[in-house]
Amino acid sequence: MTSHIHPTALVSPHAMLDENVSVGPFTVIHDNAQVGSGSRIDGNCELGYPTPLAEGLPLIIGRDSVIRSHSIFYQGSAFGDGLVTGHRVTVREKTVAGKGFQIGTLADIQGHCQIGHYVRTQSSVTIGQQSQIGNFVWLYPGVLLTNDPNPPSNDLLGVTLEDYVVVAVKSTLLPGVRIGRGSFITAHSLVGQDMPENSLVSGSPAKRLCKASDMRLNGDIRIRAYPWQKRFVRGYPDSIIEAWASGNLDISFQSEELEP
Amino acid sequence: MTSHIHPTALVSPHAMLDENVSVGPFTVIHDNAQVGSGSRIDGNCELGYPTPLAEGLPLIIGRDSVIRSHSIFYQGSAFGDGLVTGHRVTVREKTVAGKGFQIGTLADIQGHCQIGHYVRTQSSVTIGQQSQIGNFVWLYPGVLLTNDPNPPSNDLLGVTLEDYVVVAVKSTLLPGVRIGRGSFITAHSLVGQDMPENSLVSGSPAKRLCKASDMRLNGDIRIRAYPWQKRFVRGYPDSIIEAWASGNLDISFQSEELEP
Amino acid sequence: MTSHIHPTALVSPHAMLDENVSVGPFTVIHDNAQVGSGSRIDGNCELGYPTPLAEGLPLIIGRDSVIRSHSIFYQGSAFGDGLVTGHRVTVREKTVAGKGFQIGTLADIQGHCQIGHYVRTQSSVTIGQQSQIGNFVWLYPGVLLTNDPNPPSNDLLGVTLEDYVVVAVKSTLLPGVRIGRGSFITAHSLVGQDMPENSLVSGSPAKRLCKASDMRLNGDIRIRAYPWQKRFVRGYPDSIIEAWASGNLDISFQSEELEP
């Protein structure tokens, strides 16, 4: 199959679009962009936005991706297969993300950060430089990961979120904080301390209230809310759903079967 | 009068624009869009963004509307006359809103929600799916209506705001909360409980402090701040202003005179 | 040197672009826009957006400015030399700002406000009408300056931030508040009271904890964090850095040497 480029789109002859890529109207694709096969780039986007901070480096978008309209990606970042974005996302240079990354509308990813597999953010999320995000992490609307311990300064101390962490709406993580695997941070929290794995974290300043796995579902007190992967699987690959169902809740992407 | 379509705009021949509609440069109007007479669509907009979640359904924009530049509306939503938006609003499918809806810059309306007449939001508001918003509601910058009681889950439990509710800046309403008619929620609150009508609500977690109608104006303690419609009428239709002036503070849109 | 206008850009013949200005694809420049020499306007921008609230007034962009893609500036505003913006900023009419203004991605500046020299905002900042911002002020992501003391009302009571104030992430300043010179407001605060100069302000509702100059650096307790201009100078002009180094921490822009 051949690609379908809208006649008003401006695609550099040096950009590399694999087969079966579509590009919408008024989209600009710069020299350094590489887009995997089967991907759809909507209208009014800009891919490979040039920056001296990533001179000569490509933007790599994996296969079967969907980039919704009005989004901007800088050169010098790389995304695994199955990237899906909302509208008007902004992603700067040196962002490296795994497979199945979902970015909500109006997200602002400031670059120089590492993001695992199957991470999902909802809208209006801000991810500061030097953030380290594990696999299967969820960020809800308005979440902010900071990095400057002494504003203003030249220090950059990113936040670390381990695998399966869930951060609820409008919570802020202060510079250098590490949140342990499987923790849940409630809405509107301000988190200034490291938290061990499986923590339920809440408040401003936030404290560890109990184990996340002690929480029950709102609406059905008989069911534990966390680990969430025991009860919520929508949209994940079959191999992962099967692993979770068989009790392997800590998939860590060494196994061959998860490769594309 | 005839419509004025900028030569760079891409308007589907299947779109239905009434008379005297203007369309700005680099705007895309898809097959399923219907725009009422006298409306102005700025540049860089996208109307009728297609989605399989609303297959075959039109986008309906009422008469005398103004959609400011860089805004995106999905197919499958409908708006009464006099819709006015700021810039870069994003409105997804199955949003139904009444007359005189004003949407602030950078708003993110996630669809599958119902919005009454003469609702006004300021900038950077996020309205989650399944939200139910009454008439004459105000949402100030950064307000967020959530919907997932057990993140992540497949449950959607929208927020309900009854008529004349005012939510001040950066407040968050948790899933399933119902706020009674004429209540006022102060800035930066986190609201997790239902509130009866005429409540003054504040804090994180938010509590009912007193009646909203007990509040006095900042700057003039002799005047009650609420119900606000006794003291603020800018921009509403004459018939409504007259009704409020004559003591009818609970207009509910059964009366014929308010129809277009 | 001549200017470089992308062939798809729509530049009014009445707009005034000085020499050596570049304009990117799909950008619209209206009649009333004036852009200083050496400036770069990216693609998908809109300069001089017309409004009856500033009829006949120009938009003035100083020399050597960079306006990143998808940004919108209204007519009737003026910016000193060296304006630098992120992406998708929205700046309305009657915004007046000094030299070296840096505006982060997704900022929403609502106009009718005054901004000093060398002010820097990071992303997703909201600046309400009637805000008064001094020189060398820093606003971090998600900061909101409000203005309506009785929402909804016709009153506009802007926030005043004196020189060298730093407001950390997601803090909200309530209408009419004045923050004294050199104060630091910590993350996620809600500030409802005036604060004297050199205050460390924190909490919701925020209180003055101590002098800002009593704070030590995170990571090195031997060094005072504030005044920050004693330890952080990146990107400021040499004349200013020298003045700070020689102990003049309160530059106030009367001196000739600071003019362009």
Side-chain angles (χ1 to χ4, degrees):
Chain A
M1 273 222 248
T2 55
S3 293
H4 179 266
I5 314 294
H6 193 277
T8 62
L10 302 171
V11 180
S12 161
H14 301 293
M16 289 191 274
L17 308 191
D18 281 357
E19 59 179 1
N20 198 18
V21 167
S22 69
V23 179
F26 311 125
T27 281
V28 178
I29 301 191
H30 295 273
D31 293 359
N32 40 56
Q34 304 178 12
V35 181
S37 62
S39 294
R40 179 184 113 209
I41 316 299
D42 275 355
N44 272 288
C45 289
E46 187 164 9
L47 297 193
Y49 184 89
T51 172
L53 301 175
E55 192 108 44
L57 297 178
L59 166 69
I60 300 172
I61 304 282
R63 289 178 283 180
D64 299 315
S65 296
V66 175
I67 296 183
R68 289 208 170 76
S69 60
H70 294 250
S71 292
I72 300 169
F73 283 77
Y74 277 51
Q75 76 175 123
S77 288
F79 301 85
D81 294 345
L83 172 68
V84 176
T85 83
H87 303 275
R88 325 173 194 290
V89 309
T90 312
V91 184
R92 284 186 47 189
E93 73 281 355
K94 300 193 179 166
T95 300
V96 176
K99 286 174 284 189
F101 186 25
Q102 299 187 356
I103 312 177
T105 289
L106 287 166
D108 172 30
I109 302 182
Q110 303 183 339
H112 304 262
C113 57
Q114 213 149 0
I115 296 167
H117 295 287
Y118 301 108
V119 169
R120 298 183 179 178
T121 93
Q122 296 201 342
S123 64
S124 299
V125 160
T126 304
I127 299 178
Q129 293 187 9
Q130 302 300 336
S131 297
Q132 302 286 327
I133 299 179
N135 302 310
F136 301 108
V137 166
W138 284 84
L139 303 181
Y140 280 82
V143 165
L144 169 57
L145 309 188
T146 66
N147 60 21
D148 187 343
N150 299 295
S153 80
N154 288 313
D155 304 331
L156 281 176
L157 211 55
V159 167
T160 301
L161 304 179
E162 294 181 2
D163 295 356
Y164 296 98
V165 162
V166 177
V167 186
V169 297
K170 283 198 186 285
S171 285
T172 299
L173 285 93
L174 291 177
V177 160
R178 169 182 281 266
I179 306 299
R181 174 183 282 247
S183 293
F184 176 63
I185 298 174
T186 68
H188 197 73
S189 296
L190 176 67
V191 187
Q193 291 181 296
D194 290 0
M195 296 289 165
E197 66 173 356
N198 190 26
S199 295
L200 173 63
V201 177
S202 185
S204 174
K207 291 176 185 150
R208 183 177 197 271
L209 300 188
C210 62
K211 292 181 181 175
S213 56
D214 288 343
M215 278 188 79
R216 303 299 174 132
L217 279 192
N218 276 313
D220 190 342
I221 204 158
R222 297 165 305 174
I223 302 178
R224 289 184 194 277
Y226 301 95
W228 57 263
Q229 60 272 32
K230 287 182 82 161
R231 58 174 181 81
F232 180 86
V233 302
R234 193 183 63 209
Y236 296 99
D238 288 346
S239 60
I240 289 170
I241 295 173
E242 283 160 24
W244 287 341
S246 69
N248 175 11
L249 299 176
D250 292 329
I251 297 165
S252 54
F253 290 93
Q254 270 81 51
S255 60
E256 195 65 29
E257 83 217 277
L258 296 169
E259 294 309 308
Chain B
M1 271 221 253
T2 56
S3 293
H4 180 265
I5 313 293
H6 192 278
T8 61
L10 302 171
V11 179
S12 161
H14 301 293
M16 288 190 274
L17 308 191
D18 281 357
E19 58 180 1
N20 197 18
V21 167
S22 69
V23 179
F26 311 125
T27 280
V28 177
I29 301 191
H30 294 274
D31 292 0
N32 40 56
Q34 304 177 11
V35 181
S37 61
S39 294
R40 180 183 112 208
I41 316 298
D42 275 356
N44 272 288
C45 288
E46 187 163 10
L47 296 193
Y49 184 90
T51 172
L53 301 176
E55 192 109 44
L57 297 178
L59 166 69
I60 301 172
I61 305 284
R63 290 178 284 179
D64 300 314
S65 296
V66 175
I67 296 184
R68 290 209 169 76
S69 59
H70 293 250
S71 291
I72 300 168
F73 282 76
Y74 277 51
Q75 77 174 120
S77 288
F79 301 86
D81 295 344
L83 171 68
V84 175
T85 83
H87 302 276
R88 323 174 193 288
V89 309
T90 312
V91 184
R92 284 186 48 188
E93 73 281 354
K94 299 193 179 168
T95 300
V96 177
K99 286 174 283 188
F101 186 24
Q102 299 186 357
I103 312 177
T105 289
L106 287 166
D108 172 29
I109 302 181
Q110 303 183 339
H112 304 262
C113 58
Q114 214 149 0
I115 296 167
H117 294 287
Y118 301 108
V119 169
R120 297 184 179 178
T121 94
Q122 296 202 341
S123 63
S124 299
V125 160
T126 304
I127 298 178
Q129 292 187 9
Q130 302 300 336
S131 297
Q132 303 286 325
I133 300 179
N135 303 309
F136 301 108
V137 167
W138 285 84
L139 303 181
Y140 281 83
V143 164
L144 169 58
L145 309 187
T146 66
N147 60 20
D148 187 343
N150 298 296
S153 79
N154 288 313
D155 304 331
L156 282 176
L157 211 56
V159 166
T160 301
L161 304 179
E162 293 182 3
D163 296 355
Y164 297 99
V165 163
V166 177
V167 186
V169 297
K170 283 198 186 283
S171 285
T172 299
L173 285 92
L174 291 176
V177 160
R178 169 181 281 267
I179 306 299
R181 174 184 283 247
S183 293
F184 176 64
I185 298 174
T186 68
H188 196 74
S189 295
L190 176 67
V191 187
Q193 290 180 297
D194 290 0
M195 297 288 167
E197 65 173 355
N198 190 25
S199 296
L200 173 63
V201 176
S202 185
S204 174
K207 291 177 185 149
R208 183 177 196 270
L209 301 187
C210 61
K211 292 181 181 176
S213 56
D214 288 342
M215 277 188 79
R216 303 299 171 132
L217 279 192
N218 276 313
D220 190 343
I221 203 156
R222 297 165 305 174
I223 303 177
R224 289 185 194 276
Y226 302 95
W228 57 264
Q229 60 272 32
K230 287 183 83 161
R231 58 173 182 82
F232 180 86
V233 302
R234 193 183 62 209
Y236 295 99
D238 287 346
S239 60
I240 288 171
I241 294 173
E242 284 159 25
W244 288 342
S246 69
N248 175 11
L249 298 175
D250 292 329
I251 297 165
S252 54
F253 290 92
Q254 270 81 55
S255 60
E256 195 64 29
E257 82 216 278
L258 295 169
E259 293 309 307
Chain C
M1 271 221 251
T2 56
S3 293
H4 179 266
I5 314 293
H6 193 276
T8 61
L10 302 170
V11 180
S12 161
H14 301 292
M16 289 191 274
L17 308 191
D18 281 357
E19 59 180 359
N20 196 20
V21 167
S22 69
V23 179
F26 311 125
T27 279
V28 178
I29 301 191
H30 295 273
D31 293 0
N32 41 56
Q34 304 177 11
V35 181
S37 62
S39 294
R40 180 183 112 208
I41 315 299
D42 276 355
N44 272 289
C45 289
E46 187 163 10
L47 297 194
Y49 184 90
T51 172
L53 300 176
E55 191 108 44
L57 297 179
L59 166 68
I60 300 172
I61 305 283
R63 289 178 284 178
D64 300 315
S65 296
V66 175
I67 297 184
R68 289 208 169 77
S69 60
H70 293 251
S71 292
I72 300 169
F73 282 76
Y74 276 52
Q75 76 175 120
S77 288
F79 301 86
D81 295 344
L83 172 68
V84 175
T85 83
H87 303 275
R88 326 176 193 288
V89 309
T90 312
V91 185
R92 284 186 46 190
E93 73 280 355
K94 300 194 179 166
T95 300
V96 176
K99 286 174 285 188
F101 186 25
Q102 298 187 358
I103 312 177
T105 288
L106 286 165
D108 172 30
I109 302 181
Q110 303 183 341
H112 303 262
C113 58
Q114 213 150 1
I115 296 167
H117 295 288
Y118 300 108
V119 169
R120 297 184 179 177
T121 93
Q122 296 202 341
S123 64
S124 298
V125 160
T126 304
I127 298 178
Q129 292 186 9
Q130 303 301 336
S131 297
Q132 303 286 326
I133 300 179
N135 302 309
F136 301 108
V137 166
W138 284 83
L139 303 181
Y140 280 83
V143 164
L144 169 57
L145 309 187
T146 66
N147 60 21
D148 187 342
N150 298 296
S153 81
N154 289 313
D155 305 330
L156 282 176
L157 211 56
V159 167
T160 301
L161 303 179
E162 294 182 1
D163 296 356
Y164 297 98
V165 163
V166 176
V167 186
V169 297
K170 283 199 186 282
S171 285
T172 299
L173 286 91
L174 291 177
V177 160
R178 169 182 282 267
I179 306 299
R181 173 184 284 247
S183 293
F184 175 64
I185 298 174
T186 68
H188 198 73
S189 296
L190 176 67
V191 187
Q193 290 180 298
D194 290 1
M195 296 290 165
E197 65 173 358
N198 189 26
S199 295
L200 172 64
V201 177
S202 185
S204 175
K207 290 176 186 151
R208 183 176 196 272
L209 300 187
C210 61
K211 292 181 181 177
S213 56
D214 288 343
M215 278 188 77
R216 303 299 173 133
L217 280 192
N218 276 314
D220 190 343
I221 204 157
R222 297 165 304 174
I223 303 178
R224 288 185 195 277
Y226 301 95
W228 57 263
Q229 60 272 33
K230 286 182 82 162
R231 58 174 181 81
F232 180 85
V233 301
R234 193 183 62 212
Y236 295 100
D238 287 347
S239 60
I240 288 170
I241 294 174
E242 283 160 25
W244 288 341
S246 68
N248 175 11
L249 299 175
D250 292 329
I251 297 165
S252 53
F253 290 92
Q254 271 81 51
S255 60
E256 195 63 28
E257 82 217 277
L258 296 171
E259 294 308 308

